[in-house]
């Protein structure tokens, strides 16, 4: 069984250069640690799904909680599965899509209050949309 985890945080100093740095570092570390996943991001939210062996996921989440580029890190969902949702992606970068929560909803803490299944459904939908695409990382 593989561990899967979804968390959200608020970016500190969000810009293109910071995001590029996060993605470069994440992809390198995730490849090394056997972790795959997706990061949905925009100026007001990071929403990330990661999957891999439990000790590696626990170590990753501990690093994220200490990372000063993330404010208010909140664990939204943790579970297990036998197959990966993002098997070919060391870390997919996806700008938050229009079907995601609005900035006003994020500010009102709607994401933290959302049922775990609805948060997971965001990534299920993203994985479904990408199923026919070839990974680019």
């Amino acid at each position: 069984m593989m561990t899967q985890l979804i968390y959200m945080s608020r970016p500190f100093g969000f810009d293109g250069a910071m995001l590029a740095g996060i993605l470069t570092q994440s992809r390198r570390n995730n490849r090394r640690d056997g972790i795959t996943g997706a990061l949905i991001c925009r100026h007001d939210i990071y929403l990330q799904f990661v999957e891999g062996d439990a000790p590696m996921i626990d170590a990753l989440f501990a690093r994220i909680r200490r990372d000063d580029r993330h404010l208010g890190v909140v664990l939204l969902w943790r579970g297990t599965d036998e197959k990966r949702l993002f098997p070919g992606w060391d870390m997919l970068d996806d700008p938050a899509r229009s079907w995601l929560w609005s900035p006003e909803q994020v500010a009102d803490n709607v994401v933290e209050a959302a049922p775990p299944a609805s948060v997971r459904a965001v990534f299920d939908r993203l994985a479904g949309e990408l199923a026919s695409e070839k990974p680019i990382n």
Side-chain angles (χ1 to χ4, degrees):
M1 280 297 213
M2 168 187 18
T3 295
Q4 297 175 322
L5 180 145
I6 300 171
Y7 77 89
M8 70 159 290
S9 66
R10 300 189 196 284
F12 179 76
F14 181 82
D15 64 19
M18 176 186 280
L19 180 58
I22 288 172
L23 290 169
T24 298
Q25 182 179 14
S26 295
R27 288 175 178 144
R28 181 181 57 246
N29 293 345
N30 289 355
R31 193 172 302 119
R32 176 196 68 210
D33 296 339
I35 294 172
T36 56
L39 172 64
I40 298 175
C41 54
R42 66 179 186 217
H43 73 281
D44 61 338
I45 188 172
Y46 289 139
L47 186 64
Q48 187 170 27
F49 178 101
V50 291
E51 56 193 351
D53 291 336
M56 295 300 178
I57 294 298
D58 293 339
L60 170 62
F61 193 53
R63 285 192 306 273
I64 289 166
R65 287 186 153 178
R66 291 187 308 267
D67 189 329
D68 61 6
R69 297 171 295 187
H70 297 269
L71 300 173
V73 177
V74 177
L75 176 63
L76 298 174
W77 177 83
R78 183 182 175 111
T80 60
D81 203 327
E82 295 201 13
K83 75 177 212 179
R84 292 179 185 262
L85 193 57
F86 296 97
W89 298 91
D90 295 323
M91 185 50 55
L92 169 67
D93 166 29
D94 182 55
R97 299 176 187 261
S98 60
W99 46 266
L100 204 57
W101 297 277
S102 71
E104 294 78 19
Q105 290 171 312
V106 170
D108 288 340
N109 299 318
V110 169
V111 180
E112 294 97 324
S118 70
V119 176
R120 168 67 196 243
V122 169
F123 289 97
D124 290 335
R125 179 175 173 175
L126 178 58
E129 290 176 0
L130 296 170
S132 64
E133 294 182 25
K134 180 178 170 41
I136 56 173
N137 63 359

